[in-house]
Amino acid sequence: MSAHPSDLAEPGTQLLSTLRQEALAAPDSGIVEVMNYGRERPGMIPLWAGEGDLPTPDFICEAAARSLAAGETFYTWQRGIPPLREALARYHQSLYGRDFSAERFFVTGSGMQAIQIAIAAVAGAGDEVVIPTPAWPNCAAATGLAGATAVHVPMHFTDNAGWRLDIDELLGATGEKTKAIFLNSPSNPTGWTATHEELKAILDFARQRKLWIIADEVYNRFFFAGDRAPSFYDIAHDDDPILFVNTFSKNWAMTGWRVGWIGAPPALGRVLENLIQYSTSGVAVFMQRAATVAVEEGEPFIAEQVERARQSREVICKALQSSPRTRFTWPDGAFYLFFSIKGEEETGRLGLRLVDEANVGVAPGTAFGAAGEAFMRLCFARKPEDMVEAGRRLANWLAR
């Protein structure tokens, strides 16, 4: 008796066909592919992920340990514990020189969850979210998972000016279906940073068109022309249609903790609280105690990280600009170098080759959208000594 055709199918194929199209369409990560390929190589210098090499400081870890020892292992406030939300208000007041209410802040289970909740709050099936690209792929993926469509607006790269966003093109990409503009500044992966004039033009447009802005200012402390990057907080009113998404991962070396926050008009409180409730039901108290101490006592550590990044940026940029094969401009903010190599068009494959041939791990530009396909992303949030060696290896590889 011959087998039925369905019996010959790959195991699980029929199960996959019953899933939502939005789930099936979620893209694979080109960054993870390179990481998995090279993570166990002896002597590998891993510059592929968006994190530094410093572990979470002891004073933060000790706060979590104290909380666990005190038995703080129960359900808690969905919006976040009051001490953390109050600490976030003081942090923003210090950073931006204006008053902030604790009612503006909502603690989430990572910056990624903050993005998912922000998008879910404003966009769904049939809607559009406008996103400048190259961009961290998770933003567009979260938009797709919400049932909405990401509309990509390519940024422009020139040797003299570096990466630039044409504001007219950005605003012109909006239409009747547009619900939000997603802006990451300083940018992952390009390091491009919006000026106050650009932010004002976007905000004025959003006010007129009744559009939301989702402002990803995760890298606002990693800015190389001042103490912090320009922010929508510098020009916004308290009730402006802006959802700020942020995380403890970068400033306080807490990538593995998965704690973030949303800044929003207090009128959205009940809605955002419900979205948190129906996703994770809040962040563990011991993690929030650690985050509170990070905000209250972490300024010296942030300064140390930013200075290390500044030094490492100089090391790697000087090393790569010595080769006539590389093309890039020094990034204004964040802690990434987005560079291209002449004669290397298949950057997805190039990431794997650099693991094999240079023992350096970098992320392929294909992971950041069509506008980034010719580039590679390198994270320089590491001690300068590591960047000296990475620069030496890459320079030798380029000179072959």
Side-chain angles (χ1 to χ4, degrees):
M1 184 174 66
S2 61
H4 190 277
S6 63
D7 295 333
L8 301 177
E10 187 91 18
T13 300
Q14 293 186 31
L15 293 177
L16 286 172
S17 69
T18 65
L19 297 180
R20 290 176 65 236
Q21 184 57 42
E22 290 84 357
L24 292 170
D28 294 332
S29 171
I31 304 171
V32 172
E33 180 185 12
V34 176
M35 291 175 66
N36 289 342
Y37 185 73
R39 67 170 71 244
E40 295 184 353
R41 301 293 179 99
M44 168 63 59
I45 301 180
L47 309 178
W48 40 47
E51 64 180 352
D53 59 340
L54 291 174
T56 305
D58 288 345
F59 73 92
I60 297 175
C61 296
E62 289 164 0
R66 289 194 299 270
S67 175
L68 286 170
E72 292 187 316
T73 57
F74 298 93
Y75 291 134
T76 187
W77 302 83
Q78 302 301 290
R79 301 185 185 199
I81 60 174
L84 176 52
R85 297 172 68 220
E86 291 161 3
L88 284 169
R90 291 191 297 271
Y91 170 77
H92 283 75
Q93 182 171 333
S94 174
L95 205 56
Y96 299 107
R98 51 182 284 196
D99 290 335
F100 286 86
S101 165
E103 296 305 306
R104 294 191 65 87
F105 300 102
F106 304 83
V107 183
T108 60
S110 73
M112 184 61 236
Q113 191 193 30
I115 289 172
Q116 287 181 308
I117 288 175
I119 290 172
V122 301
D127 297 329
E128 294 179 347
V129 176
V130 174
I131 305 174
T133 184
W136 187 46
N138 295 37
C139 310
T143 300
L145 287 171
T149 299
V151 176
H152 298 285
V153 178
M155 299 179 70
H156 303 281
F157 179 83
T158 61
D159 292 327
N160 293 329
W163 290 96
R164 289 294 178 266
L165 176 63
D166 186 315
I167 300 300
D168 289 336
E169 286 185 18
L170 177 74
L171 304 184
T174 63
E176 293 182 359
K177 296 180 180 180
T178 305
K179 295 298 183 182
I181 297 171
F182 190 107
L183 192 73
N184 172 215
S185 173
S187 163
N188 171 12
T190 64
W192 168 83
T193 304
T195 65
H196 281 115
E197 292 73 20
E198 290 169 328
L199 295 176
K200 185 177 186 304
I202 295 169
L203 178 55
D204 287 344
F205 183 84
R207 287 167 174 163
Q208 294 167 9
R209 297 295 184 90
K210 295 184 173 12
L211 299 177
W212 282 95
I213 294 170
I214 300 175
D216 181 346
E217 299 187 354
V218 164
Y219 299 98
N220 68 331
R221 306 299 299 275
F222 289 87
F223 182 58
F224 305 110
D227 293 335
R228 61 166 177 82
S231 168
F232 280 111
Y233 277 129
D234 294 322
I235 57 175
H237 302 148
D238 287 345
D239 59 352
D240 269 325
I242 307 176
L243 294 170
F244 293 86
V245 294
N246 217 312
T247 181
F248 286 86
S249 292
K250 315 300 180 179
N251 293 340
W252 298 280
M254 296 175 69
T255 51
W257 292 73
R258 318 312 300 140
V259 187
W261 74 88
I262 295 173
L268 275 62
R270 184 187 63 81
V271 173
L272 295 179
E273 182 175 27
N274 286 341
L275 291 176
I276 293 170
Q277 162 67 25
Y278 299 135
S279 55
T280 57
S281 295
V283 176
V285 176
F286 72 91
M287 295 163 65
Q288 294 194 61
R289 295 293 187 197
T292 303
V293 171
V295 171
E296 293 178 335
E297 302 178 19
E299 284 301 305
F301 181 71
I302 293 175
E304 175 190 353
Q305 284 210 102
V306 173
E307 180 56 31
R308 288 170 96 243
R310 186 187 305 276
Q311 294 176 23
S312 292
R313 166 179 172 264
E314 183 169 356
V315 166
I316 197 63
C317 286
K318 286 183 175 179
L320 292 190
Q321 73 182 14
S322 65
S323 171
R325 296 183 62 194
T326 58
R327 185 172 180 237
F328 65 89
T329 55
W330 290 42
D332 296 325
F335 45 59
Y336 306 105
L337 179 63
F338 207 50
F339 65 100
S340 66
I341 299 175
K342 295 174 184 175
E344 299 290 346
E345 303 301 328
E346 297 184 15
T347 56
R349 176 62 188 160
L350 179 58
L352 305 179
R353 285 178 52 206
L354 287 173
V355 168
D356 289 333
E357 299 169 13
N359 215 17
V360 177
V362 296
T366 50
F368 303 93
E373 286 182 353
F375 291 78
M376 305 292 289
R377 190 196 73 175
L378 175 155
C379 175
F380 54 79
R382 299 181 68 89
K383 60 180 179 290
E385 295 84 354
D386 279 0
M387 300 314 301
V388 168
E389 177 60 17
R392 184 191 69 79
R393 294 182 189 182
L394 290 171
N396 287 343
W397 185 87
L398 289 163
R400 296 185 315 170

